[in-house]
Structures are given as structure tokens and as C-alpha cells.
Amino acid sequence: MPDEDRDQRTERATPRWREEQRRKGRVAKSREINSSALMLFGVLLLYFTAMSVYRGISGMMNVAFGDAIVCNWSNAATLSHFSAVIVQAAKTFAPVFLGLAVVAAASAYGQVGFVLAAESLEPNINRLNPISGFKRIISAKALFRLGTSLAKIAIVGATIYLYLSRKIDEFPLLAEMTAGRLLIYIAESMFMVVLITALVLIVIAAIDYAWQRYQNEKDLRMTPQQVKEELKRSEGDPLVKARVRQIQREMARSRMMQDVPDADVIVRNPTHFAVALKYDVKSMNAPKVTAKGVNKIAERIIAIAEEHGVPAVENKQLARELYRTVDIGHEISGKFYRAVAEVLAYVYQLSGRKAAG
């Protein structure tokens, strides 16, 4: 990601931007987690499988050298001999290597999940740019990695020194130990040194991972313009959305105008508000608003009503209240029953119809 606009990237990354960058391989990942986890679990695997590995190595040595004495070393016999050695070695070391492979996969997956970043594998000529390379060398990330490496070396050295300094009184006794006991002592000492070192490196790895997450969050930040563009892509262009809403309103208005000729009465004020009411005693509990509008739409409703002989009654207060409180297609509330009933009774009287309800 270019550094020119780094100061302008002040906004938190959107979910869509995060997902796009994730597909490009830009995720928070610590190499220290992988290496320290492999060291810790590797030494534990060797500790718990030491006897099995020892017996496996002994068996492999017997196959490699014991059978070699009686082997006639023909082509077939030689191939069979080396195949037996390879099989024995695979049986011995396969559990350890398989365990380490599982640990490596688990540590990588635990940090970032499953990421297939094909783009990061594509050739990039910018990586050959010496200026960009120099910037990467003296960047905060590079300095932090250098500091981490130096800290690891210092900690490993200090760990070995502290552990051995506690054991220094035992060194004179090593000369009196048998070869087997001496090997066990050395193995136990090495195990403890590696185990303590691995535990300390786990702590360093946790710090490094927290740093990587912090740096990744900074790198993923967006400029205000990028956020606007991202919102357009994810939610749609506001101009397009406004046009869609306009078309929807026009379609709804067209359907509404088609219902005006079927209305029983138009309540108006006198041209600023117009509300079309219809009442069918068999299918409705109360009169229903079938169309409404203000100004030009109200004029259009009144014109259609006059064209189809739908009576209009001027009632300023009722027209305003019906327009503001009752949606199209909904029945009127109880507070309008009396006023609307009087309007309908008046209309029915004029037309000679019997008042409904």
C-alpha cells in the first residue's frame, strides 16, 4: 500500500475493504508464533516420544548394520536392504514430523484462518525498486523485527547462562558418571534449556503478534474518499438509489391515481390537500384512504375525480388530518368516524344512495 496517503488514512477499515485486503494476503501474522510454537511442541514431542524414538533408532541401526553382515549385496538384495532402512526410519520419525506439521498448520490457521492469497505470489516489479527496498529496510516494521531478533538472541543466551550457572556445582560430578547416566544428564539439561527458551519465546511471540495486529490495523485504515467509494460499492450510488426511489414513488402514484375513479368522495382543502375515501360495508370495517396528495398531486386527484364524477367535499381540517395521519390503503382511525360519516352521508344524500352503515 503506498505511503504517500498514509497521513490521510484516518478512517477505520470497512468490512468489505478488510475482506478484499485479506484476499490479497494483508493479514496480521507473526512468524514468531510459528517458530516458538514449533520449538515448544517439538521439544515436548521429543520428550514424550523419546523412548519410542530410541527404540526406533536402535531398530534402524540393527537393520542398517546388522543385516548388512549377511547381505549378499546383489542389486535386488541391496534395494531390499535400503528399503527396509527407509521404512524403519519413516516409522521412527513420522509421528514427530506429523505432529510438527499439525502444530505448524494450527498456529498459522489460528492467527489468520484459511487465506488463499494468489495475488501475493504474482511478480511485482516494484519490489525491485531500490528506493522502496531501502524504505522497507529502515521502516518501523523492520526495526521492530530487528529488535525482536536481538531480544531473542539475548534471551536465549541469558537463559542458557542462568540455567548452567545453577548447574555449575554439578560439573565435577560428571566425571564419576557412567556413559549412560551422563547421556541422560545431558539430555535432561538440554531439554530444560530448550523448554525454558521456548516458553520465553512464546511470550515474545505474543508481543510480536499484538504488534502485528496494531500495524495491520494502521495499514488497513482508509482515506475519507475511500470510505465514500466503498459505501457506494457496498450500498449503491446515492444518485442511483435516489432515482430508484423516485421511480418507485412514480409507480405508486400511478397506481394511486388509478384508484381515484373508484372512490366515494374526495375531501379537499380546497386544492392544497386532497384525500380520496372509499367505503364498502361488506368488506371494510371503516372507510379507507385510497389516494392522497398535496399541491399538484392534489390538483391531479381532484381533476381525475371531476372527470369521473366523483364528488368532492371541502373540509380543510379533515383533509389535513387525514393526509397527515392515515396512509394510503389503510382504514381511518376511530377519531375520524364521526366527521367522515357526516361527509359520506352528505355525499350519499346528493347522489341518492343509501348511506352505508
Side-chain angles (χ1 to χ4, degrees), residues 31 67 82 85 123 133 144 157 161 196 209 235 256 271 302 337 346:
R31 298 175 183 175
D67 294 348
F82 281 105
V85 173
F144 183 81
Y161 173 79
I196 294 172
Y209 181 65
E235 300 180 5
M256 178 184 72
T271 57
I302 295 171
Y337 282 176
Y346 172 73

Side-chain angles (χ1 to χ4, degrees), residues 214-271:
Y214 169 74
Q215 282 295 120
N216 190 61
E217 283 296 316
K218 287 183 62 178
D219 292 341
L220 289 180
R221 283 188 299 191
M222 308 168 66
T223 65
Q225 182 61 33
Q226 285 177 320
V227 173
K228 291 179 181 178
E229 295 296 330
E230 190 68 22
L231 290 176
K232 285 184 180 180
R233 292 169 57 191
S234 60
E235 300 180 5
D237 193 322
L239 296 177
V240 175
K241 293 175 66 176
R243 177 58 180 164
V244 170
R245 287 195 295 267
Q246 180 183 356
I247 294 174
Q248 291 174 341
R249 287 194 297 268
E250 291 175 353
M251 293 176 63
R253 189 180 304 158
S254 176
R255 290 192 298 269
M256 178 184 72
M257 294 301 182
Q258 294 175 3
D259 293 333
V260 172
D262 296 328
D264 291 327
V265 65
I266 306 297
V267 182
R268 52 188 287 189
N269 172 28
T271 57

Side-chain angles (χ1 to χ4, degrees), residues 13 43 50 57 86 106 114 121 151 235 255 263-264 309 336 354 356:
V43 70
I57 293 175
I86 293 173
F114 180 76
L121 302 178
E235 300 180 5
R255 290 192 298 269
D264 291 327
F336 297 116
K354 183 178 179 181

Side-chain angles (χ1 to χ4, degrees), residues 28 48 88 164 166 228 265 285 288 323:
F48 288 110
Q88 184 62 33
L164 294 180
R166 296 178 59 185
K228 291 179 181 178
V265 65
N285 296 321
K288 181 173 66 175
Y323 176 83

Side-chain angles (χ1 to χ4, degrees), residues 279-281 283-287 331 337:
Y279 182 50
D280 185 350
V281 69
S283 60
M284 301 178 187
N285 296 321
E331 296 179 352
Y337 282 176

